[in-house]
Amino acid sequence: MSIALLIPDRKLDQLQQKLQQQLPGVTIEIWPEISKPEAVDFAVVWRQPANSLTAFPKLKALQSFGAGVDSILSDPGLPDVPLARIVDPDLTRSMLNYLHGVLLHYQLRFDQFAMQQQKQQWKARSPRKIQQLCVLGLGELGKAAALYFQALGYQLSGWSASPKQIVGVACYAGLNEFAKAVAEADVVICLLPLTAQTENLLNDQRLSQFKPGAILVNVARGAIVDDLALLQNLDSGQLGAACLDVFRTEPLPAEHPFWQHSAVLLTPHISAVTNADTAVLQIAENYRRVQAALPMFNLVDKQRGY
Ligand code: NAP
């Protein structure tokens, strides 16, 4: 029995060491240097190369190294075994911190003052009126964001697949209620998973249902937004600005118009990065549960896609 780490875009020596401290005596190897593929029964994955998991015939379970699982589920060679993901208060704290920073950036008009500085323009302005927020996705991160900003005095609406009741948050569910959820929001925060249902969800039709001048913050996945529709809605003034942490192709290609657009603030997918110190505790716990034939914590519904 051994563990394979398949996370191609990350240096894994430290993760391997930390996990080894939690699981002494267990063989933990970094793909593609796996000495006995037939002994691997547990794999930690994130953007694994397509079909790479077919090399492990005895695999019993998969553990995502992140909160999102779209890149894992899109693998045509995904084995039919349970998949768990990271749900970590530390990750949630990072996301709330990022979102709070972004809100203050726009509220205090730092975007406009940065442009004025370029032109050596001295022009005082009072803070932007940002009172109403909408959170798309009311799961682990979305619900936490809604409650956090509601406690800070903002008015909140939220949107999810199934109906929810969250004290102090006007909750809407399903495509029929999308327009109502976003109608009054000064800022719309996207915290949806990327699935067949949410790909290109934020297209021209839906962006036109936003309040004129609203700001979109996408910290979920790039493919939820139709890039061209977003650019058109920014150019027409239907949207006031967009803060994007995630993109259809990452890193964002050099020729992409988002780089140069004056109404786009972009960050390189850093809003909530998995913390290896806390993640290894969950990974080790799930590994032990698999060995004891118990269900893993934070299981993903593979049919639903999140
Ligand atoms: P989660 O707990 O799985 O919650 C997902 C939420 O989205 C749920 O409320 C779900 O509704 C809703 N939803 C799913 N499909 C929907 C649809 N078709 N229409 C309306 N609502 C829908 O996910 P999470 O942990 O909060 O994370 C959300 C996403 O954030 C992840 O999937 C990941 O892609 C992204 N993320 C990004 C970063 C980053 O660094 N940028 C870090 C972590 C996570 P129900 O509750 O009704 O099922």
Side-chain angles (χ1 to χ4, degrees):
M1 284 176 298
S2 73
I3 299 178
L5 307 179
L6 288 90
I7 313 174
D9 61 350
R10 217 177 142 122
K11 284 200 87 171
L12 296 177
D13 303 5
Q14 283 200 4
L15 175 66
Q16 185 187 29
Q17 274 170 25
K18 288 175 204 268
L19 197 53
Q20 196 71 77
Q21 282 163 11
Q22 297 300 318
L23 298 170
V26 177
T27 301
I28 303 172
E29 294 178 312
I30 299 173
W31 182 88
E33 308 300 325
I34 307 291
S35 54
K36 283 193 203 151
E38 65 283 4
V40 172
D41 62 350
F42 189 92
V44 183
V45 287
W46 181 251
R47 293 184 181 164
Q48 77 279 8
N51 296 312
S52 52
L53 294 166
T54 56
F56 310 124
K58 298 273 171 58
L59 206 55
K60 286 188 201 151
L62 290 170
Q63 166 75 57
S64 166
F65 190 60
V69 291
D70 46 287
S71 75
I72 298 166
L73 295 178
S74 65
D75 182 349
L78 191 72
D80 185 19
V81 297
L83 166 67
R85 68 188 188 111
I86 298 291
V87 174
D88 182 0
D90 214 71
L91 192 88
T92 306
R93 258 192 304 279
S94 302
M95 184 58 86
L96 298 180
N97 215 20
Y98 177 95
L99 292 172
H100 199 175
V102 168
L103 269 194
L104 290 175
H105 169 86
Y106 288 115
Q107 209 155 16
L108 298 175
R109 298 189 190 271
F110 284 172
D111 54 332
Q112 292 171 336
F113 292 132
M115 283 192 263
Q116 286 184 202
Q117 185 177 345
Q118 304 260 314
K119 300 181 208 152
Q120 295 197 358
Q121 248 177 17
W122 184 276
K123 193 171 163 203
R125 291 163 186 252
S126 52
R128 248 196 207 103
K129 195 171 145 262
I130 294 181
Q131 286 173 338
Q132 185 107 23
L133 312 180
C134 173
V135 183
L136 304 177
L138 292 171
E140 290 291 334
L141 297 173
K143 183 178 176 190
L147 290 173
Y148 177 82
F149 289 116
Q150 195 251 341
L152 288 176
Y154 294 93
Q155 286 157 21
L156 262 299
S157 62
W159 185 71
S160 54
S162 57
K164 304 255 181 283
Q165 285 193 330
I166 304 174
V167 177
V169 180
C171 293
Y172 300 92
L175 283 179
N176 289 341
E177 295 192 348
F178 180 88
K180 275 190 252 171
V182 297
E184 301 298 324
D186 302 303
V187 174
V188 177
I189 297 167
C190 180
L191 272 167
L192 292 163
L194 175 61
T195 65
Q197 285 71 39
T198 62
E199 187 168 4
N200 288 319
L201 178 92
L202 300 182
N203 57 16
D204 187 50
Q205 180 207 341
R206 300 223 171 70
L207 293 175
S208 69
Q209 293 168 339
F210 283 27
K211 180 176 170 179
I215 295 168
L216 171 68
V217 180
N218 187 14
V219 279
R221 286 291 180 266
I224 296 171
V225 177
D226 175 339
D227 289 2
L228 194 60
L230 175 58
L231 287 163
Q232 285 166 348
N233 278 271
L234 288 168
D235 291 340
S236 72
Q238 162 57 14
L239 291 190
C243 170
L244 308 173
D245 183 49
V246 286
F247 304 90
R248 213 161 266 273
T249 306
E250 295 181 3
L252 184 66
E255 66 283 3
H256 199 291
F258 284 159
W259 281 113
Q260 306 299 336
H261 202 288
S262 59
V264 173
L265 170 65
L266 63 86
T267 53
H269 201 146
I270 46 71
S271 54
V273 177
T274 300
N275 175 341
D277 288 322
T278 47
V280 288
L281 304 179
Q282 293 187 28
I283 297 169
E285 179 64 18
N286 269 343
Y287 175 77
R288 288 189 210 100
R289 291 180 71 84
V290 169
Q291 300 311 317
L294 293 169
M296 292 189 289
F297 289 125
N298 303 317
L299 276 170
V300 170
D301 179 338
K302 287 160 78 185
Q303 288 305 315
R304 211 174 52 163
Y306 63 97

